[in-house]
Amino acid sequence: MQDTPRARALAKELRAARNAAGATMRQVGDVLGWSEAKVSRFETAQRGLNLETTKAFLDALSVTGVKRDRLLKMARELDQPVWWEFGGGVPVQLSELADAESRATRITSVAEIRIPGLLQTREHTRALLAAFGVEPDDRVEQLVAIRQVRQGILTKSDPVEYEAILDEAVLCRAVGGGRSMAEQLDELVRVASRDNITIRIVPFSAGEHTGLDGGFHLLEFVSSRPVVHLEQRRCGVFLDDPDDVAPFVQARSTLRQTALGPDDSLELISTYARRHEREG
């Protein structure tokens, strides 16, 4: 099984394990009897990635314990289709985002225009997709369902740590109408009661701030280096070079200082919810 989201994810984890061990591709190749080129192809999921070769690779690096068990589990599941691979028609960038989200231990979403997908209600998502020109109806429902299933990472037994930093402007626009927007904002307050979810609002009173430069998602993992996902309309791109990711990590730190605290943020969200309810 090569060049799939799962294979690429495992390959990245194995490359990270080699780097953590301080071994070069040539050194690992010498232990395994592989050429340096073969190690490179293995670490990019181009060739030879399976359970047995993964075991051999981890043996060469002396990887043991929980880390080894986790990587072998990923290798065993390489040929098992994941939920977003059923049904067809799912954009590659969306399947890769879903895969990254499922592996992340911490996700930070910064939004200056709309509520992040992982926090959207079904009606909110439908209204947005309609505005974006997505059709026909069955396609809309497919994307709504995918977004809802993606949200499962927030409520599973070992949920991802999720933080959303939203500009106050996100709360103002009545997406789907006043009543629907009120329900969406009430949902934000509800999910923020979970220990693993934090929502912060950057108020208008803060004036200009770094979040106005554009929204992003910062995903962090157990052993792999963090990545940033950027999206525009129906396109998305990942950044994984440390020099490219660093400004987004700094932006998160700055925005945390600029934003209201969690309690004040939820109070402001509730105020807007009641306003939309009255005007709906």
Side-chain angles (χ1 to χ4, degrees):
M1 177 70 67
Q2 309 299 326
D3 198 25
T4 65
R6 281 192 166 184
R8 289 193 294 272
L10 175 58
K12 287 181 180 180
E13 294 277 0
L14 293 172
R15 183 167 64 251
R18 176 179 59 75
N19 288 331
T24 66
M25 287 190 289
R26 176 170 294 179
Q27 289 170 332
V28 173
D30 288 344
V31 173
L32 295 172
W34 297 358
S35 67
E36 188 172 348
K38 180 175 179 178
V39 176
S40 178
R41 290 192 296 271
F42 178 79
E43 290 187 357
T44 53
Q46 294 180 42
R47 187 174 179 183
L49 189 61
N50 56 47
L51 178 59
E52 293 306 315
T53 53
T54 299
K55 285 181 179 178
F57 193 84
L58 295 176
D59 287 343
L61 297 174
S62 298
V63 175
T64 60
V66 174
K67 185 175 183 179
R68 178 185 179 90
D69 292 342
R70 181 175 61 85
L71 294 175
L72 290 179
K73 181 176 184 294
M74 292 177 68
R76 291 188 189 96
E77 296 174 350
L78 280 177
D79 60 351
Q80 298 178 18
V82 288
W83 62 264
W84 56 83
E85 292 173 344
F86 288 99
V90 179
V92 172
Q93 65 89 15
L94 177 55
S95 69
E96 292 184 342
L97 174 59
D99 180 79
E101 289 172 340
S102 71
R103 294 183 293 105
T105 56
R106 179 185 296 273
I107 300 175
T108 303
S109 296
V110 172
E112 85 287 12
I113 297 176
R114 63 180 182 269
I115 291 170
L118 289 177
L119 297 177
Q120 291 175 12
T121 64
R122 288 180 176 272
E123 289 305 317
H124 196 88
T125 300
R126 287 190 185 97
L128 287 174
L129 292 175
F132 299 161
V134 178
E135 53 184 21
D137 290 345
D138 58 351
R139 176 61 170 167
V140 171
E141 290 308 310
Q142 180 193 34
L143 294 176
V144 169
I146 288 174
R147 189 160 297 183
Q148 291 292 305
V149 176
R150 282 171 51 205
Q151 293 175 6
I153 64 172
L154 302 177
T155 56
K156 62 183 182 178
S157 59
D158 55 337
V160 67
E161 292 291 325
Y162 184 74
E163 179 180 18
I165 304 177
L166 315 178
D167 189 273
E168 185 175 346
V170 173
L171 310 178
C172 296
R173 190 179 303 280
V175 174
R179 186 179 298 277
S180 177
M181 189 63 182
E183 292 175 353
Q184 170 65 81
L185 298 185
D186 284 339
E187 177 69 2
L188 294 186
V189 174
R190 187 188 70 79
V191 299
S193 66
R194 294 183 175 275
D195 292 339
N196 61 306
I197 299 177
T198 302
I199 300 176
R200 302 175 189 271
I201 304 299
V202 181
F204 288 140
S205 59
E208 67 280 356
H209 59 84
T210 187
L212 297 177
D213 196 31
F216 61 89
H217 305 286
L218 174 64
L219 298 93
E220 297 168 277
F221 308 91
V222 173
S223 57
S224 299
R225 61 194 186 194
V227 300
V228 169
H229 185 259
L230 303 174
E231 55 186 326
Q232 179 66 32
R233 293 192 179 273
R234 302 180 196 179
C235 300
V237 63
F238 282 99
L239 305 177
D240 62 0
D241 186 280
D243 289 340
D244 293 332
V245 172
F248 295 93
V249 175
Q250 180 58 52
R252 177 180 63 181
S253 178
T254 301
L255 285 168
R256 282 174 173 168
Q257 299 175 36
T258 304
L260 299 173
D263 290 342
D264 289 340
S265 294
L266 295 184
E267 184 176 344
L268 183 59
I269 292 171
S270 294
T271 297
Y272 271 98
R274 304 290 72 78
R275 182 182 303 176
H276 287 297
E277 194 171 52
R278 290 193 302 270
E279 295 173 356

